[in-house]
Amino acid sequence: AEKVLGYDLLSLCLEGPRDALDRTQHCQPAVERARGSGRRRLGPARGAAEAALGSLSPQVVERCVAAAGYSVGEFAALVFAGALGFAEALYAVKVRAEAMQRASEAVPSGMLSVVGRREANYKFACLEARKHCESLGIENPVCTVSNYLFPDSRVIAGHLQALEFLQENARKYYFKRTKMLPVSGAFHTRLMEPAVEPLAEVLKSIEIQKPLLCVYSNVDGKKYMHSKHIQKLLVKQVVSPVLWEQTMHSVYERKQGTEFPYTYEVGPGNQLGAILKQCNLKAWKQYKHVDALEDEEAVET
C-alpha cells in the first residue's frame, strides 16, 4: 500500500495525526485497506480484516457466496471477489479520494445524518432547504438524500447552509435526531462531479474481471453483471446516493422458511451490522463483526 500511495499508510493509521487521517484523500485508502482483501485468483496480499477472518475461520472465505461494500468499501468487496487486483484497486481509490478532496474544497458542503419519524418527508425537506439557499443568493444549490441506511434513517448531503437550515427546522420536518458527519464534502451528490472524470480515466486503464461471487452495487442494489458494468457503476457511484437499505433487501431476499446465511462485517467498526439489525433482524442474528485487532487478541489468548 505504501508503494502505491507514496506515503506510510500504516503509520498514519496507528500514529496519526488524526486530522490528517480524517482528510478524504487519506481516509478512503485507509478504510479500503482495513476492510479489503487481496485477489482471490492470485493469492496472498489481503486486507487486515479479511486476513483476520481467514485466520479465525478459513472455510468462511472459501464458502462465501456474496459480498457488498459501503461506498469506498465497494472496492474492497470487488477485490475480495476477484474482479479487481489489490494494487490497481488501491490506486483507483487514491485517485478517487484525491479528486473528491478537491471537489470538497471547492464548495462549503457536508453531510447530515438524520433519524426521522414515520411522517418525515425527506424530499420535501430538501426542497425547502434548497429554496432557503436560493434566498441567500446561492445559485443551483444542492441538498439531497445521499445515503439510504435503514427505515427512517437517511444521510442528507449538500451545501452547508442547507444542512444548517434542516437542523434548525428539524421539528418541522419530523426529524428526531440530526448530526453533522465529520466529513469535508457532500459525497454521493452532484457536488462530486469534478471527481467523475479522474476516476473514469483510471478505471479505463485497469483490468476488471467478472467477479467470482455475487457483488452488489451501491448504485442500484443489484448484482454486478460483467466488467463493463463494474466500470460504469463505480464511476456513477461517486455522484449517486448509496442505496444500502435497498441492497440489504436484495442480499437477504429469500423464500419464507429459508435459513439466512452467516454474515461477516470485516473492517473497522460495526456500523453495517447495526444497520442490518434495523433492516432485517432475522438475518442479523447470524451476523458477526471481524476486526484485525480481534485476530491479534485471539492469537494471544
Side-chain angles (χ1 to χ4, degrees), residues 3 38 44 85 96 102-103 130 213 286 294-295:
K3 290 178 181 177
R96 178 186 189 270
R102 291 192 296 271
R130 290 195 296 271
L213 55 122
Q286 302 276 53
E294 289 181 6
D295 183 43

Side-chain angles (χ1 to χ4, degrees), residues 8-276:
D8 188 345
L9 181 64
L10 180 60
S11 175
L12 184 60
C13 287
L14 297 178
E15 301 169 14
R18 178 62 183 267
D19 58 343
L21 183 59
D22 280 346
R23 288 178 64 82
T24 301
Q25 67 192 77
H26 298 139
C27 183
Q28 289 190 20
V31 170
E32 198 275 340
R33 279 298 75 221
R35 288 191 185 280
S37 68
R39 192 173 201 146
R40 286 164 60 93
R41 284 191 175 98
L42 301 180
R46 299 189 294 175
E50 196 254 309
L53 177 62
S55 299
L56 291 171
S57 189
Q59 71 273 19
V60 168
V61 176
E62 297 308 316
R63 294 177 182 175
C64 183
V65 295
Y70 187 95
S71 191
V72 71
E74 196 161 287
F75 284 85
L78 287 164
V79 172
F80 176 77
L84 296 173
F86 162 72
E88 294 93 336
L90 186 57
Y91 182 69
V93 169
K94 176 180 186 291
V95 171
R96 178 186 189 270
E98 290 174 349
M100 290 173 73
Q101 179 73 49
R102 291 192 296 271
S104 299
E105 291 169 354
V107 178
S109 57
M111 305 181 80
L112 181 71
S113 176
V114 177
V115 176
R117 301 184 189 281
R118 291 293 173 88
E119 307 94 318
N121 186 326
Y122 301 96
K123 288 185 177 179
F124 177 69
C126 289
L127 174 63
E128 293 216 323
R130 290 195 296 271
K131 288 181 178 179
H132 169 73
C133 287
E134 288 172 351
S135 73
L136 298 177
I138 299 173
E139 294 184 10
N140 204 16
V142 172
C143 183
T144 186
V145 174
S146 63
N147 304 73
Y148 292 81
L149 302 179
F150 56 85
D152 304 320
S153 180
R154 305 283 186 269
V155 175
I156 295 174
H159 282 80
L160 281 180
Q161 296 90 334
L163 304 183
E164 290 166 355
F165 172 83
L166 291 178
Q167 281 193 297
E168 291 167 4
N169 294 276
R171 183 174 295 182
K172 175 183 177 181
Y173 301 116
Y174 300 101
F175 294 167
K176 289 193 291 187
R177 293 197 304 275
T178 62
K179 181 181 179 181
M180 288 295 295
L181 299 181
V183 296
S184 56
F187 304 149
H188 303 291
T189 73
R190 61 179 172 82
L191 288 178
M192 291 294 110
E193 282 179 357
V196 166
E197 191 58 32
L199 179 59
E201 286 301 312
V202 75
L203 288 175
K204 287 177 185 176
S205 67
I206 291 176
E207 181 186 3
I208 302 176
Q209 300 189 44
K210 185 177 179 178
L212 294 170
L213 55 122
C214 296
V215 179
Y216 290 80
S217 168
N218 287 182
V219 173
D220 57 12
K222 298 178 182 178
K223 300 171 187 176
Y224 280 116
M225 303 305 294
H226 48 73
S227 59
K228 288 291 184 183
H229 193 210
I230 294 170
Q231 183 183 24
K232 178 182 177 181
L233 292 191
L234 280 181
V235 173
K236 191 175 180 180
Q237 188 225 56
V238 173
V239 291
S240 301
V242 174
L243 304 185
W244 193 255
E245 180 184 345
Q246 295 86 333
T247 300
M248 291 297 93
H249 293 317
S250 295
V251 170
Y252 296 102
E253 184 179 12
R254 57 214 344 100
K255 292 180 181 178
Q256 191 169 0
T258 305
E259 286 190 16
F260 285 97
Y262 289 97
T263 298
Y264 296 87
E265 178 177 2
V266 293
N270 58 0
Q271 294 91 339
L272 299 183
I275 293 173
L276 175 60

